Amino acid sequence: MSKSLQAIRGMNDILPEQTPLWRYFEGTVARLLDNYGYKQIRMPIVEFTELFKRSIGEVTDIVEKEMYTFEDRNGDSLTLRPEGTAACVRAVLEHGITGGGQVQKLWYIGPMFRHERPQKGRYRQFHQIGLEVFNLDGPDIDAELIIMTWRLWGELGIRDAVKLELNSLGTSESRGRYREALVEYLSAHHDKLDEDSQRRLKTNPLRVLDTKNADTQAVLVDAPKMADYLDDESRAHFEGLKARLDAVGIPYVLNPKLVRGLDYYSKTVFEWVTDKLGAQGTVCAGGRYDGLVEQMGGKPTTGVGFAMGIERLVLMLETLEQIPEEISRQVDVYLCAFGEEAELAGLALAERVRDQLPNLRLQVNAGAGSFKSQFKKADKSGALYALILGDDEMAQQAVGFKPLRGQGEQQSIAWDALAAHLATCVVQG
Ligand code: ATP
Ligand code: MG
């Protein structure tokens, strides 16, 4: 195929054989969020570039080097969203739905875009399910977000493979004091830092804590600790969160180096990490961002949220072979008809059955074909049963009912009794 007809590097097609697992994952999360009382919001994929600069911060990896930014025909600078929080905050402000302290518990799902180096678990178009809560400032809601994800890992069968890392970044004041102490310490060891960290020291010093460079990590061993700079309020908040996780029995590890990539976090930050995916180990990450709404021009409004990467979680389900059996079968029943008269009768019969069993996955053979070829297609479809409509069956106003996957002889079922019979033998999702 000519080069111009290929997908863009790092932007993937999700093929029909993969979508059942995606839909299972997305459906499981959506049901859970419904049950906990969260409401879905849908924002545009493109926003003014300014939105991301103002919310995410000019000196973050995302804004510095990962955004897909372009000028539209009006000369406006637009950006494909790299994450969802900024647009969600923009939307609640624009529609005034967090005004007067109104609580909002929102979630969204969709593609995000970052110009990163594509590799396993890291793509340029990827998908997130994200969640944001506004106007609840206690540790109880931070705990709820974590408890909910814990339940999700349980339902998906991957709980043993993920670990919760927690930290508190304090208020912007206490973080400011910490930042000063950190800068002073790191400046005294400037020559031992890697180049990237030297640059970050000037632009976004907390991110030096994130470094993967071994020499810089060695310097960090004796660096000041955020925990020693936490203000009383943040400390109490963090204790409150930990007490709730303990009460529910959710294990966690404290990671003082967890700072998250974005500028806007305060107090709680957390990540769910796994060692099953190689280098791209974070499957869900979030935290509290009490200053963000005000920074974006709203009245003081607290916020807390997280986002999970769907590709990474789907990869985990595949890696750990946690793929429920029922999603691999997409057809329950396959109807084969031989001859024009049978085909017409089959169509009408199929519609009658669908009226009575709206959840039945009934596939009607298309493209006619010999007995052998239709039967082959029925088998390949994965269906549990084939329905056969030929001259004999037409004469009796019946269908042949043939189990495809196990024991059992073919039997004849009257048209009028077919739906009732199918209802007893096909478990409907
Ligand atoms: P990372 O450290 O892996 O780059 P991040 O801190 O940039 O992650 P967030 O902005 O917190 O990621 O996004 C939340 C989640 O979205 C991540 O934990 C991850 O699961 C997923 N994610 C982020 N970037 C990508 C990507 N380029 N491809 C696939 N998934 C991603
Ligand atoms: Mg990143």
Side-chain angles (χ1 to χ4, degrees):
M1 205 191 307
S2 87
K3 192 148 200 307
S4 61
L5 291 180
Q6 287 177 353
I8 297 166
R9 197 164 110 84
M11 304 203 178
N12 301 315
D13 298 307
I14 300 161
L15 294 173
E17 73 212 38
Q18 302 169 295
T19 50
L21 189 55
W22 279 68
R23 291 180 61 186
Y24 157 71
F25 174 78
E26 292 164 359
T28 305
V29 183
R31 179 173 42 73
L32 198 76
L33 291 167
D34 284 345
N35 293 352
Y36 276 81
Y38 288 73
K39 298 209 173 93
Q40 194 185 21
I41 181 169
R42 301 186 185 198
M43 298 86 64
I45 286 171
V46 188
E47 299 271 354
F48 288 117
T49 305
E50 189 55 28
L51 174 71
F52 302 112
K53 287 194 176 167
R54 257 172 63 189
S55 60
I56 298 171
E58 297 262 8
V59 290
T60 54
D61 283 353
I62 292 182
V63 173
E64 274 182 341
K65 52 190 189 203
E66 294 176 358
M67 294 205 304
Y68 280 91
T69 297
F70 60 96
E71 227 178 63
D72 77 356
R73 287 166 194 274
N74 301 330
D76 291 323
S77 179
L78 307 183
T79 293
L80 297 181
R81 64 182 183 193
E83 52 101 59
T85 305
C88 189
V89 169
R90 197 252 328 124
V92 299
L93 283 179
E94 188 167 338
H95 299 285
I97 59 174
T98 50
Q102 284 177 84
V103 171
Q104 293 291 345
K105 298 164 81 175
L106 306 173
W107 69 278
Y108 50 81
I109 179 170
M112 307 291 161
F113 303 84
R114 298 184 193 176
H115 197 276
E116 308 196 66
R117 193 169 68 79
Q119 52 200 289
K120 181 183 172 192
R122 187 176 298 284
Y123 311 100
R124 290 181 173 174
Q125 173 174 334
F126 62 100
H127 298 79
Q128 287 184 337
I129 294 182
L131 179 156
E132 319 289 347
V133 178
F134 298 100
N135 284 319
L136 287 173
D137 61 1
D140 49 356
I141 194 71
D142 302 32
E144 179 171 282
L145 299 195
I146 293 172
I147 291 166
M148 203 157 57
T149 47
W150 174 248
R151 173 165 297 283
L152 177 64
W153 314 143
E155 286 193 19
L156 296 172
I158 59 173
R159 204 180 251 180
D160 293 341
V162 289
K163 192 176 77 177
L164 175 62
E165 299 196 347
L166 272 188
N167 193 20
S168 175
L169 301 178
T171 57
S172 64
E173 294 78 37
S174 58
R175 197 165 58 257
R177 281 198 302 278
Y178 173 62
R179 188 184 294 117
E180 268 173 40
L182 185 68
V183 168
E184 192 180 328
Y185 173 86
L186 292 176
S187 300
H189 298 80
H190 190 269
D191 295 347
K192 288 185 218 134
L193 304 179
D194 63 285
E195 217 175 287
D196 213 27
S197 297
Q198 291 182 348
R199 190 177 54 84
R200 283 176 171 172
L201 180 55
K202 294 203 194 73
T203 55
N204 194 348
L206 287 188
R207 292 228 60 199
V208 177
L209 299 176
D210 249 0
T211 185
K212 304 267 187 304
N213 181 281
D215 296 333
T216 304
Q217 281 177 345
V219 173
L220 286 172
V221 172
D222 295 318
K225 301 279 176 287
M226 180 71 226
D228 299 326
Y229 289 79
L230 274 193
D231 51 291
D232 291 344
E233 185 199 324
S234 300
R235 197 183 302 275
H237 197 277
F238 199 38
E239 291 307 317
L241 170 60
K242 288 188 279 182
R244 285 168 175 84
L245 298 181
D246 292 338
V248 180
I250 300 179
Y252 51 83
V253 289
L254 301 181
N255 177 359
K257 289 186 186 150
L258 182 63
V259 292
R260 308 282 308 116
L262 315 181
D263 263 358
Y264 49 56
Y265 287 106
S266 56
K267 291 184 180 157
T268 311
V269 285
F270 67 91
E271 286 191 1
W272 286 101
V273 295
T274 179
D275 56 11
K276 305 288 184 216
L277 297 179
Q280 272 51 252
T282 306
V283 294
C284 174
R288 183 161 276 285
Y289 51 85
D290 289 345
L292 178 64
V293 177
E294 204 178 353
Q295 178 188 316
M296 288 174 63
K299 298 238 165 60
T301 302
T302 62
V304 58
F306 66 68
M308 55 181 110
I310 303 183
E311 280 81 357
R312 291 185 194 177
L313 284 158
V314 166
L315 260 173
M316 261 192 97
L317 294 175
E318 287 167 346
T319 309
L320 300 175
E321 297 180 8
Q322 291 296 325
I323 302 175
E325 209 184 311
E326 61 274 15
I327 70 161
S328 46
R329 187 166 49 80
Q330 287 170 61
V331 180
D332 298 321
V333 182
Y334 193 101
L335 188 146
C336 311
F338 307 99
E340 200 176 321
E341 205 189 325
E343 191 190 317
L344 298 181
L347 273 184
L349 179 63
E351 289 310 305
R352 267 168 60 198
V353 168
R354 287 175 175 134
D355 285 341
Q356 290 172 65
L357 303 174
N359 292 326
L360 184 74
R361 292 170 299 184
L362 167 59
Q363 193 166 320
V364 175
N365 182 73
S370 66
F371 184 82
K372 199 170 153 203
S373 83
Q374 290 199 35
F375 227 70
K376 219 165 153 183
K377 285 196 274 177
D379 192 45
K380 213 173 148 211
S381 76
L384 295 173
Y385 303 100
L387 300 178
I388 299 150
L389 207 47
D391 292 343
D392 292 351
E393 289 80 10
M394 287 297 289
Q396 296 166 24
Q397 303 227 324
V399 289
F401 177 87
K402 185 172 170 52
L404 294 173
R405 313 279 144 206
Q407 316 304 326
E409 289 301 304
Q410 180 170 329
Q411 32 175 327
S412 175
I413 312 275
W415 291 350
D416 287 342
L418 181 59
H421 184 74
L422 287 172
T424 62
C425 38
V426 180
V427 183
Q428 293 174 49

